[in-house]
Amino acid sequence: MPVIPELVSLRISAWSMKARFALKYHCIKYRTTPYLPVFGELKLRLRLWEWRRKLTVPVMFTPKDGVLMQSYDIAQWADRHSARPDAVQLFPEGKEVLIASWNAKSDAVLFFGRSALVESLLSDPAVLRQQIPPGLRWLGPLGTALVAAIARWLRDKYREESSRTSLTKALDVFREAQAALRGPDALGPDGERHLIGGVLSYADMAMAVAVQALKPFGPSSAASARPPLKVFQPYQAEFADLIAWRDALFAKYFSTDNEGCTKKSD
Ligand SMILES: N[C@@H](CCC(=O)N[C@@H](CS)C(=O)NCC(=O)O)C(=O)O
């Protein structure tokens, strides 16, 4: 088992981002092993000796607590191993059901976002070309064919998840989050707005990552690896406040220097 946690993660993936958000917030040192669909899955299956279950990333190898296979479990693990001086509990007692429900709503958006992304990759060669990893660009048309094959493979692998969601469901989730954040209970003592009781929790992180589908965060973020989804563009004005809320949350808690990790607690 590793000395520091090892996160096997897919750069473009929103679920990897959810796990990274919680780890970063809690100032936890970890190393990243990049994952590529298809080839990476085989490698991971061999490593885990797991041949039956559907395998997804992120996966985290922890020093003492075994292997965590879900972004949600990784975030909960991060909550128990915080190195942040002034950390709040991202899963406060008594709020677990509510947080799980916001996470499920975030997943509904992201399932739709993934299927829209895969469809746009398969229907637009320009979008497809943008997704060729820099290290594979020398392959030329073969690189394009490879990314298209991966997109088709992802479409099949996640067909069931895609069938459970839709644009309407995703927009309903955004409207629900928007209404919750506009409500009087959302306003915390620090002037920030949060989905549950005016206090930062994993619900905020899960939903902020879901807003990536609506509009990816600015170019300096790792999130910009994800191309914008045309299907959501007509709704960006309706959800401008939700996008601004996400920007502020990312800027404060997902920044690379992560000021909160060095600040002394009062
Ligand atoms: N329930 C999982 C979902 C993770 C998930 O869907 N991961 C996808 C992200 S696109 C993945 O692993 N894709 C790459 C692959 O299937 O090879 C979690 O929250 O960790």
Side-chain angles (χ1 to χ4, degrees):
M1 279 295 160
V3 180
I4 60 165
E6 176 193 352
L7 186 75
V8 181
S9 99
L10 178 62
R11 192 175 140 78
I12 194 176
S13 162
W15 289 273
S16 292
M17 185 179 279
K18 285 199 216 186
R20 284 163 55 217
F21 209 153
L23 289 164
K24 266 172 171 265
Y25 172 75
H26 280 307
C27 310
I28 293 169
K29 287 195 171 56
Y30 64 93
R31 70 186 174 88
T32 304
T33 300
Y35 169 95
L36 253 190
V38 187
F39 313 102
E41 181 175 325
L42 184 62
K43 216 166 124 190
L44 199 56
R45 282 196 185 282
L46 277 165
R47 196 170 164 191
L48 295 167
W49 208 251
E50 170 60 71
W51 302 101
R52 286 209 306 217
R53 273 185 296 172
K54 181 150 146 177
L55 205 57
T56 62
V57 288
V59 166
M60 194 166 84
F61 293 84
T62 70
K64 291 187 189 142
D65 302 313
V67 188
L68 306 173
M69 312 281 285
Q70 299 290 329
S71 54
Y72 200 77
D73 298 340
I74 297 170
Q76 286 186 312
W77 184 91
D79 225 22
R80 294 191 297 273
H81 294 81
S82 182
R84 188 185 181 97
D86 61 349
V88 298
Q89 288 290 140
L90 295 178
F91 296 84
E93 245 185 88
K95 304 287 183 210
E96 296 90 344
V97 173
L98 214 49
I99 293 171
S101 142
W102 278 113
N103 187 55
K105 286 170 189 160
S106 152
D107 277 353
V109 171
L110 296 172
F111 290 154
F112 176 76
R114 173 170 51 205
S115 102
L117 174 64
V118 165
E119 291 311 324
S120 77
L121 287 173
L122 291 173
S123 61
D124 187 341
V127 181
L128 191 72
R129 272 194 296 276
Q130 281 164 17
Q131 288 311 308
I132 302 175
L136 295 181
R137 300 239 160 96
W138 61 273
L139 284 172
L142 201 62
T144 316
L146 188 70
V147 176
I150 292 175
R152 278 192 289 272
W153 181 82
L154 287 173
R155 181 172 62 185
D156 290 344
K157 180 170 177 180
Y158 295 105
R159 207 176 279 283
E160 189 273 323
E161 287 85 344
S162 306
S163 72
R164 281 193 270 132
T165 188
S166 63
L167 176 61
T168 310
K169 277 196 184 153
L171 294 173
D172 283 350
V173 170
F174 288 142
R175 291 193 183 109
E176 196 179 334
Q178 187 178 49
L181 288 167
R182 283 177 181 172
D185 295 346
L187 191 60
D190 52 4
E192 288 176 23
R193 290 192 167 266
H194 298 291
L195 287 166
I196 301 177
V199 182
L200 179 73
S201 75
Y202 186 68
D204 296 311
M205 294 181 176
M207 274 313 301
V209 170
V211 175
Q212 298 295 90
L214 197 54
K215 188 178 184 208
F217 190 53
S220 60
S221 159
S224 60
R226 208 181 171 96
L229 294 173
K230 277 202 189 110
V231 65
F232 281 117
Q233 272 165 16
Y235 302 96
Q236 287 178 354
E238 178 185 344
F239 296 112
D241 55 347
L242 196 57
I243 293 168
W245 168 82
R246 181 280 313 268
D247 286 352
L249 204 80
F250 262 74
K252 185 155 181 195
Y253 300 114
F254 198 85
S255 60
T256 38
D257 52 349
N258 209 343
E259 246 179 61
C261 295
T262 46
K263 214 166 40 190
K264 291 241 173 339
S265 54
D266 297 328

